[in-house]
Amino acid sequence: MRFYLFLTLLFFCFCVVTPIESQNRGFSVELIHPDSSRSPFYNIRETQLQRISNVVTHSIKRAHYLNHVFSLSHNDLPKPTIIPYAGSYYVMSYSIGTPPFQLYGVVDTGSDGIWFQCKPCKPCLNQTSPIFNPSKSSTYKNIRCSSPICKRGEKTRCSSNRKRKCEYEITYLDRSGSQGDISKDTLTLNSNDGSPISFPKIVIGCGHKNSLTTEGLASGIIGFGRGNFSIVSQLGSSIGGKFSYCLASLFSKANISSKLYFGDMAVVSGHGVVSTPLIQSFYVGNYFTNLEAFSVGDHIIKLKDSSLIPDNEGNAVIDSGSTITQLPNDVYSQLETAVISMVKLKRVKDPTQQLSLCYKTTLKKYEVPIITAHFRGADVKLNAFNTFIQMNHEVMCFAFNSSAFPWVVYGNIAQQNFLVGYDTLKNIISFKPTNCTKL
Ligand SMILES: *[C@@H]1O[C@H](CO)[C@@H](O)[C@H](O)[C@H]1NC(C)=O
Ligand SMILES: *[C@@H]1O[C@H](CO)[C@@H](O)[C@H](O)[C@H]1NC(C)=O
Ligand SMILES: *[C@@H]1O[C@H](CO)[C@@H](O)[C@H](O)[C@H]1NC(C)=O
Ligand SMILES: *[C@@H]1O[C@H](CO)[C@@H](O)[C@H](O)[C@H]1NC(C)=O
Ligand SMILES: *[C@@H]1O[C@H](CO)[C@@H](O)[C@H](O)[C@H]1NC(C)=O
């Protein structure tokens, strides 16, 4: 079964699930950057420079992948949007089953569906945390071929054995993927206030054949995308279509974590909030916005409308899975010229040889201009920590780069220390400058 069928099934299942009683005030969970020392996947042997180099490389791969997805025919059904690679993704801890079994899922705002590795598996992901065994969960239920859910998909694959189970197969661009059973089980989130919150009968993919070409060691993916099948959609009325996150400094050795909010707690309001429409595009998976211009001092760099989308709307993807922000060539070169004209520091080469604009300085000392990202109706002021990465003790590089693509990937460095709120019912995304370490 192709991915979209998996999605179709998830949607269908979602419809028949009894709505969960509303979690009135909402709740929050911890979000862990895999390169933070708090992450279960932290590789102590890697240097800071290797980590940065990895996430920059990953950002480029991801942009290529997104381009592949977007450039498919507009009428095409949604395709998987990620090459999972935990190296620059945020992960969250959650539990599946009864009793709850703890897993670490890659949080991806660019995909739908929830899947993870299950026992038995062959081949398996290199998952260091224990693997979920569905036979140990009293609430785990396979979906059968005879169920209306499975019959609904025309090309639904039915297991070849006597069990007649409904199966899924997700194939990513690099031919890696996951195959397994479509099932339902209870999903439990550990809220930051200490109380677990359970959502019964969540449709999940329990993967028995998993071959992701990844160095990441997470157990699978949690899609936060726009489709009907993401965790956002499946939690449904209990979170009112709202989630938000606050990403604390990346690569921080300090014991700090980022946060993910659901429901009413995800409402971004108060002083300094700006909001811009989320654009409904042909491609449901991702969060598109209109980015109209950048400004740096007196320089204004306008972005052309993207030719990607028929009515020229939605030229920027807000992506938690990319680290650097990638701009169309002409936009990047104008922005770079403007920044160069305003920064009086010695230019040096990127020690990882990936980024174009680097200076010899330290994070504490450097002075760089504020760059404002002008989304439609929302001016977002980017500080130095949103626009530059400290590569090592003496070099910092511009965390923006040119890409061959006609659209913008708005990466997670640019989103650091903003409370970023998604309201999928009102179709807006809001940004509020916030010291995420203090939340
Ligand atoms: C898992 O790790 C082993 C050894 O490092 C490697 O050979 C293998 O390709 C990895 N598998 C996956 C799926 O990444
Ligand atoms: C999502 O659900 C809505 C109805 O709630 C439906 O109109 C829409 O087509 C669905 N989207 C996809 C991609 O299945
Ligand atoms: C980090 O802080 C958490 C509590 O916020 C604590 O449980 C944990 O042990 C700390 N880890 C380290 C490595 O200090
Ligand atoms: C950054 O842009 C330069 C110049 O276009 C290019 O050579 C380099 O590969 C790009 N690096 C990344 C990380 O995209
Ligand atoms: C956020 O607050 C912490 C703790 O007070 C402080 O050390 C840090 O510098 C602040 N970060 C920013 C970006 O203001």
Side-chain angles (χ1 to χ4, degrees), residues 141-161:
K141 275 216 159 50
N142 277 129
I143 287 168
R144 300 187 156 273
C145 297
S146 56
S147 121
I149 294 162
C150 203
K151 279 188 180 159
R152 182 107 164 179
E154 278 165 38
K155 294 178 206 160
T156 305
R157 202 170 70 188
C158 211
S159 63
S160 46
N161 60 23

Side-chain angles (χ1 to χ4, degrees), residues 274-278 287 289 318 420-423 427-431:
V274 291
S275 300
T276 189
L278 286 170
Y287 294 97
T289 57
I318 309 295
V420 182
Y422 296 71
D423 187 328
N427 270 320
I428 53 169
I429 182 165
S430 304
F431 298 90

Side-chain angles (χ1 to χ4, degrees), residues 385 417 435 437-438:
F385 57 73
N417 285 318
N435 185 335
T437 311
K438 288 185 175 167

Side-chain angles (χ1 to χ4, degrees), residues 56-57 59-60 324 326 329 332 336 350 352-357 400-403:
V56 171
T57 307
S59 299
I60 301 162
I324 59 169
Q326 297 182 74
N329 251 311
Y332 178 78
E336 191 188 79
D350 173 4
T352 73
Q353 301 180 328
Q354 295 187 98
L355 296 165
S356 312
L357 179 61
F400 287 52
N401 209 37
S402 64
S403 76

Side-chain angles (χ1 to χ4, degrees), residues 207-439:
H208 294 292
K209 280 189 191 171
N210 309 300
S211 60
L212 303 184
T213 46
T214 165
E215 294 166 38
L217 304 176
S219 44
I221 310 289
I222 305 184
F224 276 73
R226 297 231 64 179
N228 290 322
F229 332 102
S230 70
I231 189 170
V232 182
S233 302
Q234 290 210 68
L235 301 190
S237 58
S238 55
I239 61 165
K242 292 191 278 284
F243 72 97
S244 64
Y245 51 71
C246 203
L247 307 178
S249 303
L250 301 162
F251 314 117
S252 171
K253 295 253 168 20
N255 188 5
I256 57 174
S257 63
S258 303
K259 304 229 167 35
L260 184 60
Y261 299 88
F262 291 95
D264 286 350
M265 268 177 91
V267 175
V268 178
S269 60
H271 182 71
V273 178
V274 291
S275 300
T276 189
L278 286 170
I279 307 300
Q280 294 278 10
S281 78
F282 68 96
Y283 185 71
V284 296
N286 288 81
Y287 294 97
F288 292 92
T289 57
N290 287 317
L291 181 56
E292 296 177 331
F294 285 103
S295 61
V296 195
D298 296 336
H299 307 263
I300 294 172
I301 297 114
K302 288 199 175 129
L303 277 93
K304 287 198 213 88
D305 285 334
S306 161
S307 55
L308 178 67
I309 293 156
D311 53 3
N312 278 341
E313 290 275 295
N315 62 349
V317 185
I318 309 295
D319 191 36
S320 66
S322 294
T323 297
I324 59 169
T325 291
Q326 297 182 74
L327 305 175
N329 251 311
D330 57 326
V331 175
Y332 178 78
S333 61
Q334 291 175 62
L335 183 62
E336 191 188 79
T337 305
V339 171
I340 291 171
S341 74
M342 295 181 73
V343 178
K344 305 284 170 245
L345 291 165
K346 184 176 187 292
R347 283 187 67 180
V348 289
K349 288 227 161 85
D350 173 4
T352 73
Q353 301 180 328
Q354 295 187 98
L355 296 165
S356 312
L357 179 61
C358 300
Y359 292 101
K360 186 164 183 171
T361 188
T362 65
L363 195 60
K364 293 205 175 67
K365 290 194 194 136
Y366 67 76
E367 276 187 25
V368 294
I370 287 196
I371 298 179
T372 305
H374 300 274
F375 290 94
R376 181 169 299 168
D379 293 346
V380 177
K381 282 191 177 158
L382 302 174
N383 286 302
F385 57 73
N386 297 120
T387 52
F388 281 88
I389 319 180
Q390 189 73 44
M391 308 296 283
N392 59 26
H393 62 283
E394 58 174 13
V395 176
M396 64 165 200
C397 295
F398 196 32
F400 287 52
N401 209 37
S402 64
S403 76
F405 310 123
W407 35 271
V408 173
V409 181
Y410 194 75
N412 58 35
I413 289 186
Q415 298 178 56
Q416 267 181 77
N417 285 318
F418 280 96
L419 189 54
V420 182
Y422 296 71
D423 187 328
T424 60
L425 300 183
K426 284 193 193 149
N427 270 320
I428 53 169
I429 182 165
S430 304
F431 298 90
K432 180 183 186 178
T434 303
N435 185 335
C436 299
T437 311
K438 288 185 175 167
L439 289 181

